[in-house]
Amino acid sequence: NTLGLTDFNGTLYFSAGDANFQGSALWRSDGTESGTTMVKDFGPGSSLYLQPTSTGGTLYFTASLGPGPIPNELWRSDGTEAGTTLVKQVPFVGLIVAKGRFIYFSGGGGLWRSDGTPQGTTLVKGRPPGGGLGGSLTAAKGMLYFVGSDKRHGGEVWRSNGTRRGTTIVRDIRRGSATSDPGNLTAVGGTLFFTAKDGRHGRELWRAGPRPCKAKGKCKKG
C-alpha cells in the first residue's frame, strides 16, 4: 500500500502502510532496494497525505493520527526521523501551496499561513458565518487563488497576498448568495484559468489576471 509519491531534493518520498492497513510510515528511496528506507513510523491508525510541497529545504505533508481518514495535522521533514516533526494540529487540513518562505493551506474553513513553526502558523482569514475559505489553492503571479464562500457571495474564486486585508473575492460571477461552482483552477504564466457557471450559460471558461486570454472557447476577464 504505497501512496503519495513526492520528489524532494532529488529523492523519492512516499507513504506506505502495512498489509492490514493499520497505519502509515514515511519512506524515502533513491531507486534501489538498499536505498529504500523508512524515515518515520506514525503508528497504528495513522494516515499520511503527501503533497509535492517544499520550501527552504523542508518537505511539508498532512497526516491523520487519530480515527477517521480526514487529515488534521501539518507536519514537516528534512528527510530524517529526528527532523520529522509536527508543526500544528488544525481541523481538516487541506491543500498546501508554497509561496516564498511560507506555505499556505486550508484548514477548518479558513486560509492559513505557516513558516514551519507552531508560533508562525497563523490564520490569514477565518471562516465567516455561512461560508468558508481555502479550497483548490493555486499560486499565480505572486497571488494565491482559491475557492471560497461567504454568506453574501456564495462559492466564488478568491485571491490573497498572504494578509487578511489582501484576501478578497475576485468576482461575484453568479450574483448573490448562489455559488458559481468554480473548478479546474489552473495557472498558466501569470494568468489563472478556471471554469464557473454564471447561472445563465452553463459552465464556461474564465480567467483572472493581467494577460489577454488566448485559450479557445469563451474567455472572460475575472
Side-chain angles (χ1 to χ4, degrees):
N1 180 28
T2 302
L3 299 170
L5 302 179
T6 299
D7 174 16
F8 174 52
N9 291 341
T11 299
L12 179 68
Y13 285 79
F14 59 93
S15 63
D18 58 33
N20 296 317
F21 301 97
Q22 296 300 309
S24 294
L26 178 65
W27 289 71
R28 58 180 292 167
S29 177
D30 61 5
T32 67
E33 183 176 0
S34 60
T36 302
T37 58
M38 185 172 65
V39 177
K40 185 178 180 66
D41 184 0
F42 285 81
S46 62
S47 298
L48 305 187
Y49 304 85
L50 295 186
Q51 299 180 51
T53 306
S54 62
T55 183
T58 301
L59 173 70
Y60 291 91
F61 60 96
T62 58
S64 172
L65 302 189
I70 299 175
N72 61 358
E73 294 185 349
L74 175 68
W75 285 72
R76 59 178 291 168
S77 179
D78 62 2
T80 67
E81 182 177 10
T84 302
T85 58
L86 173 68
V87 177
K88 192 158 188 168
Q89 190 174 63
V90 178
F92 312 117
V93 179
L95 295 174
I96 304 174
V97 171
K99 182 175 176 288
R101 68 185 184 93
F102 295 101
I103 62 163
Y104 293 83
F105 62 94
S106 58
L111 177 67
W112 293 73
R113 182 176 76 175
S114 178
D115 62 2
T117 66
Q119 63 272 19
T121 303
T122 58
L123 190 65
V124 175
K125 192 158 187 174
R127 178 172 180 155
L133 304 173
S136 303
L137 303 181
T138 305
K141 196 71 174 182
M143 297 292 289
L144 185 68
Y145 291 87
F146 55 92
V147 177
S149 67
D150 61 18
K151 193 172 182 179
R152 178 181 177 186
H153 301 105
E156 300 290 352
V157 173
W158 288 60
R159 65 183 167 200
S160 177
N161 63 0
T163 67
R164 180 178 179 83
R165 179 173 292 183
T167 303
T168 59
I169 188 173
V170 173
R171 180 169 175 173
D172 191 7
I173 293 176
R174 187 164 184 173
R175 299 289 182 181
S177 60
T179 178
S180 68
D181 192 23
N184 307 110
L185 276 65
T186 304
V188 180
T191 301
L192 177 83
F193 292 91
F194 62 96
T195 61
K197 298 181 287 188
D198 63 7
R200 294 176 296 158
H201 302 101
R203 185 166 294 278
E204 298 179 299
L205 180 64
W206 292 71
R207 73 178 178 92
R211 297 187 179 183
C213 178
K214 298 181 181 180
K216 293 181 180 180
K218 295 183 178 180
C219 251
K220 301 180 181 181
K221 184 176 180 180

